[in-house]
């Protein structure tokens, strides 16, 4: 998979070269290229923003500069890429979207700053036949200062699903949200059996795999009811 990320703060994205993703890049499974948006600015001060039409606070990123950046990346590409624009007003990013993007050959992340990117950029590339699709996506209901951290979150969630990137494929299948019933996971424990007066639940040390499986189901159900009742409300009717 090829991933391009365009940002005004390219060094913000340095963590993408660490750990799992650093190794995946060394092995040639993923190639991540970070670009400085200012490389496509053309004036003396390398300006990338301007005042918002209609007034209001802050600045809006120029569609002219973004157009030059995205056209040049498309012209170097081997296939029609997917353009991902992080924005708090976008489609919610979830495990289903991550799985679908994990099957793509080429992703391009456009990281905005300030009050965001001129909305015509998303509109234009949606109509451009040389892009496979355009997704305006939000990672959650809170406001970040820019698209960089949101892009890193999505890149981590997407790339760990690519075969060969995670050491242990079973832990991917077993994740919270990957199951059909999408409950959150229950608590986990390792040695020692007693730590600072807290015991590992007896059932987990009983060796009874049936009881362990039932206990884990009950724990997952309880945690989901407490913290994520929304996940239970749109579940299909259980058969009786
Ligand atoms: C931004 C550009 C975001 N869930 C989210 N909260 N905030 C953002 C976000 C994304 C891009 C920009 N400010 C300026 C905030 C996402 N995705």
């Amino acid at each position: 998979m090829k991933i391009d990320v365009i940002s005004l703060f390219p060094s913000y994205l340095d963590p993408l070269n660490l750990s799992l993703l650093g190794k995946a890049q060394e092995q040639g499974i993923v190639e991540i290229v970070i670009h400085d948006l200012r490389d496509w600015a053309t004036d003396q001060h390398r300006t990338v923003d301007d005042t918002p039409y209609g007034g209001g606070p802050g600045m809006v990123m120029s569609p002219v500069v973004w157009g030059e950046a995205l056209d040049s990346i498309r012209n170097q590409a081997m296939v029609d890429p997917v353009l991902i624009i992080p924005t708090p007003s976008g489609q919610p990013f979830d495990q289903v979207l991550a799985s679908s993007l994990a099957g793509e050959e080429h992703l391009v992340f456009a990281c905005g700053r300030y009050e965001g990117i001129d909305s015509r950029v998303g509109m234009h590339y949606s109509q451009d036949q040389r892009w496979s699709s355009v997704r305006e996506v939000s990672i959650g209901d809170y406001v970040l200062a820019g698209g960089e951290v949101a892009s890193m979150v999505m890149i981590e969630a997407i790339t760990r699903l690519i075969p060969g990137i995670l050491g242990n494929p079973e832990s991917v299948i077993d994740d919270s949200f990957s199951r059909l019933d999408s409950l959150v996971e229950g608590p986990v424990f390792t040695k020692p059996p007693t730590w600072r007066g807290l015991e590992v639940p007896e059932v987990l040390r009983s060796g009874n795999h049936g009881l362990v499986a039932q206990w884990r189901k009950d724990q997952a159900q309880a945690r989901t009811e407490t913290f994520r009742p929304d996940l239970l409300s749109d579940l299909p009717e259980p058969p009786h």
Side-chain angles (χ1 to χ4, degrees):
M1 175 184 280
K2 172 77 185 287
I3 301 175
D4 290 288
V5 188
I6 312 169
S7 166
L8 274 185
F9 302 103
S11 55
Y12 229 82
L13 295 139
D14 284 351
L16 292 174
N17 296 319
L18 299 172
S19 188
L20 279 176
L21 269 176
K23 291 200 184 79
Q25 291 190 75
E26 284 167 19
Q27 296 171 52
I29 300 168
V30 189
E31 183 189 1
I32 303 179
V33 180
I34 314 298
H35 307 268
D36 186 344
L37 179 68
R38 240 179 258 286
D39 291 349
W40 287 283
T42 52
D43 66 317
Q44 284 278 325
H45 296 101
R46 303 216 291 163
T47 307
V48 297
D49 59 354
D50 208 333
T51 54
Y53 274 117
M59 299 292 271
V60 175
M61 296 186 95
S62 161
V64 179
V65 180
W66 274 107
E68 292 302 317
L70 292 168
D71 287 353
S72 104
I73 282 168
R74 175 58 190 93
N75 288 334
Q76 314 277 314
M78 311 277 293
V79 297
D80 296 355
V82 175
L83 175 59
I84 300 164
I85 306 176
T87 166
S89 62
Q91 167 192 359
F93 182 75
D94 64 10
Q95 195 65 29
V96 173
L97 183 51
S99 304
S100 124
L101 294 172
E104 296 286 341
E105 261 184 77
H106 190 176
L107 307 177
V108 178
F109 287 83
C111 303
R113 280 270 151 180
Y114 318 122
E115 301 309 308
I117 302 172
D118 186 303
S119 293
R120 291 170 294 181
V121 172
M123 295 163 57
H124 172 80
Y125 288 98
S126 301
Q127 296 165 357
D128 185 333
Q129 303 297 305
R130 295 183 14 101
W131 292 78
S132 144
S133 63
V134 176
R135 319 295 279 256
E136 295 192 25
V137 180
S138 166
I139 65 159
D141 293 340
Y142 36 76
V143 181
L144 303 170
E148 285 79 8
V149 169
S151 292
M152 283 195 282
V153 166
M154 290 188 265
I155 290 167
E156 182 162 314
I158 293 163
T159 54
R160 69 184 283 284
L161 299 175
I162 298 172
I165 290 206
L166 203 82
N168 179 1
E170 235 184 66
S171 66
V172 168
I173 298 157
D174 200 46
D175 277 340
S176 285
F177 305 116
S178 349
R179 280 187 250 91
L180 211 62
D181 57 355
S182 62
L183 302 174
V184 299
E185 280 180 4
V188 296
F189 304 90
T190 186
K191 290 181 278 299
T194 305
W195 177 76
R196 301 193 182 184
L198 297 169
E199 299 259 320
V200 172
E202 176 59 35
V203 58
L204 296 180
R205 296 183 286 134
S206 69
N208 185 328
H209 301 302
L211 275 183
V212 167
Q214 188 57 51
W215 184 86
R216 285 184 171 152
K217 267 188 207 165
D218 295 345
Q219 292 290 314
Q221 180 72 22
R223 277 194 74 89
T224 308
E225 282 168 7
T226 302
F227 295 117
R228 297 300 307 277
D230 58 303
L231 292 179
L232 295 169
S233 53
D234 44 43
L235 225 55
E237 281 289 312
H240 55 264

